[in-house]
Amino acid sequence: MMRTRPLKVALLGCGVVGSEVARIMTTHADDLAARIGAPVELAGVAVRRPGKVREGIDPALVTTDATALVKRGDIDVVVEVIGGIEPARTLITTAFEHGASVVSANKALLAQDGAALHAAAHEQGRDLYYEAAVAGAIPLIRPLRESLAGDKINRVMGIVNGTTNFILDKMDTTGAGYQEALDEATALGYAEADPTADVEGFDAAAKAAILAGIAFHTRVRLDDVYREGMSEVTASDFATAQKMGCTIKLLAICERAADGGSVTARVHPAMIPLSHPLASVRGAYNAVFVEADAAGQLMFYGPGAGGAPTASAVLGDLVAVCRNRLNGSTGPGDSAYAQLPVSPMGEVVTRYHISLDVADKPGVLAQVATVFAEHGVSIDTVRQQGRQDGGGEASLVVVTHRASDASLNGTVEALRSLDTVRGVASIMRVEGE
């Protein structure tokens, strides 16, 4: 039997995502009520610009006083889609204190202060759900927290930023340079006017922190995530990758050490074989590859951003939280019992692709190979090619076996000191073996 008194929802933010949340709540009201077991009512919308026309939203619900809205006491669920650290953090904790559960899409806040927010929710006996914070519409957080709760996850690797994937895909398929591809992404609305958060990996790093924390039952903060942007990736890098049967993606990689005693979380460009499922992810789509002991290899794929896809994830959380509310229960909270240390990037072991500009004369390859051997880095393949324009220089490409980041850095520094090495053209990790 359906309860007639509605569950009241406060919406913080009414931009691209917030307006879609409000629209779906209105147009799908009967279906949502049937799925939840009670009607849901939009009880207030906090915005910064109250004079803006918002189609489908009763102007009487709009307020600029977000604090008063979350303090009302009759609010059952607060949906936070304003982003940023403050005032979102204070508004969320205030909502808990006044009896509301929270659904958030705020990846930056959760990556920085997720543990404190979970503690505040637990203290008040409320829910904190945030499926929309990572990979848009793709169901990912709930499968990690619930469906795979009985398994041991060893690795989570994926494309979690649609803007960067669009740019890199365009460079791969058309031969465009980085700036040309970025300009197209901006013109199509995939990239912000200031694309720094995307192309320098800040957005992906926040998502990696959230994913690593859930997957490994360990608190991982944004500061724990190694981050490297993609603005230095060139058309030449793609040409080299294609010769190796690879493409280049900006990846978020969270993995458990082989001995199980530590974890790592990192974001950086990497070459991956065309045979890997992530290599076929095109345009602005996202995909996340999960490796677990019992389940094996799983891939989650779909649109990772945009108003409607992100709102879909928000509404999924809203339904779950409202059901919990009716049942007088809460869903899974923070699980950090493992408390594994997060290893620094220097200890990460992977393969590397190194492109060197060298003197085109006998003995150079032997010198380079000696440097690699002295630093304990084993070489997989080597390709040396003279420049078509002559000039006494050649291109030397080395692909290593697996080596630590620290040992590779030492190798590169030693290579720079050789008088036969004119420069290091590029260094890129190779993933997805």
Side-chain angles (χ1 to χ4, degrees):
M1 182 176 179
M2 182 179 295
R3 192 181 80 166
T4 56
R5 186 177 70 79
L7 292 161
K8 295 190 176 183
V9 178
L11 179 61
L12 307 183
C14 198
V16 173
V17 176
S19 59
E20 278 295 308
V21 170
R23 182 189 67 79
I24 295 172
M25 284 185 64
T26 301
T27 58
H28 295 179
D30 291 343
D31 285 341
L32 290 173
R35 294 166 192 171
I36 292 167
V40 286
E41 173 188 311
L42 188 60
V45 183
V47 300
R48 286 185 296 177
R49 296 185 295 274
K52 180 179 178 181
V53 176
R54 295 174 172 84
E55 187 176 349
I57 295 178
D58 183 352
L61 298 178
V62 176
T63 178
T64 57
D65 194 343
T67 302
L69 179 59
V70 300
K71 282 183 174 181
R72 271 177 39 175
D74 64 333
I75 300 297
D76 295 288
V77 184
V78 169
V79 174
E80 182 272 309
V81 288
I82 56 178
I85 305 302
E86 287 292 357
R89 174 170 49 197
T90 299
L91 290 170
I92 289 173
T93 55
T94 302
F96 291 142
E97 291 166 0
H98 287 78
S101 290
V102 173
V103 172
S104 176
N106 196 331
K107 53 188 172 287
L109 177 58
L110 289 158
Q112 178 173 306
D113 289 319
L117 294 177
H118 272 293
H122 178 73
E123 182 180 354
Q124 302 297 332
R126 299 304 174 203
D127 274 321
L128 173 61
Y129 275 49
Y130 43 90
E131 184 69 66
V134 180
I138 304 172
L140 184 59
I141 289 177
R142 194 169 293 129
L144 291 178
R145 288 210 302 187
E146 300 178 31
S147 303
L148 295 173
D151 208 340
K152 179 184 177 184
I153 297 172
N154 296 310
R155 196 175 205 221
V156 179
M157 179 174 78
I159 299 161
V160 295
N161 182 279
T163 299
T164 57
N165 200 57
F166 177 88
I167 293 169
L168 292 174
D169 183 43
K170 187 62 60 172
M171 293 175 70
D172 185 25
T173 55
T174 69
Y178 168 77
Q179 189 60 51
E180 181 184 352
L182 173 59
D183 290 343
E184 182 173 350
T186 303
L188 292 172
Y190 291 125
E192 302 287 346
D194 180 0
T196 303
D198 293 325
V199 300
E200 294 304 329
F202 291 100
D203 176 84
K207 295 170 181 175
I210 295 170
L211 292 175
I214 296 170
F216 307 130
H217 304 280
T218 292
R219 291 199 176 103
V220 180
R221 289 171 52 88
L222 182 58
D223 292 345
D224 296 321
V225 181
Y226 172 82
R227 178 194 55 78
E228 186 181 315
M230 49 164 271
S231 57
E232 300 301 317
V233 176
T234 66
S236 176
D237 292 327
F238 272 101
T240 300
Q242 289 165 1
K243 290 177 183 177
M244 293 174 57
C246 293
T247 188
I248 299 171
K249 299 292 187 181
L250 185 75
L251 298 178
I253 303 171
C254 314
E255 56 189 352
R256 190 189 301 269
D259 64 5
S262 64
V263 299
T264 59
R266 50 197 165 101
V267 169
H268 53 71
M271 292 184 181
I272 57 173
L274 294 177
S275 57
H276 195 280
L278 291 177
S280 62
V281 178
R282 300 296 184 187
Y285 275 70
N286 284 192
V288 177
F289 201 71
V290 177
E291 298 176 24
D293 271 3
Q297 298 179 334
L298 309 169
M299 192 168 91
F300 301 83
Y301 169 84
T310 305
S312 171
V314 170
L315 267 296
D317 279 350
L318 179 64
V319 169
V321 170
C322 286
R323 286 171 175 170
N324 291 344
R325 191 83 170 188
L326 288 181
N327 295 332
S329 63
T330 56
D334 190 23
S335 176
Y337 71 88
Q339 285 297 359
L340 297 172
V342 182
S343 297
M345 187 63 188
E347 297 179 14
V348 170
V349 175
T350 188
R351 297 175 66 207
Y352 291 86
H353 172 280
I354 305 102
S355 179
L356 305 171
D357 295 325
V358 301
D360 191 5
K361 62 182 184 180
V364 173
L365 179 56
Q367 283 186 318
V368 169
T370 298
V371 169
F372 275 87
E374 289 174 344
H375 288 81
V377 179
S378 176
I379 294 175
D380 183 17
T381 62
V382 178
R383 185 177 73 253
Q384 184 172 350
Q385 182 176 348
R387 297 286 172 80
Q388 293 182 352
D389 58 0
E393 289 192 358
S395 175
L396 181 63
V397 174
V398 178
V399 179
T400 74
H401 287 288
R402 292 175 67 82
S404 72
D405 194 73
S407 63
L408 194 281
N409 287 339
T411 303
V412 171
E413 287 305 309
L415 288 171
R416 294 183 196 276
S417 68
L418 296 177
D419 58 7
T420 53
V421 175
R422 308 296 192 227
V424 179
S426 68
I427 303 171
M428 191 167 295
R429 296 168 183 87
V430 182
E431 300 285 349
E433 302 168 67

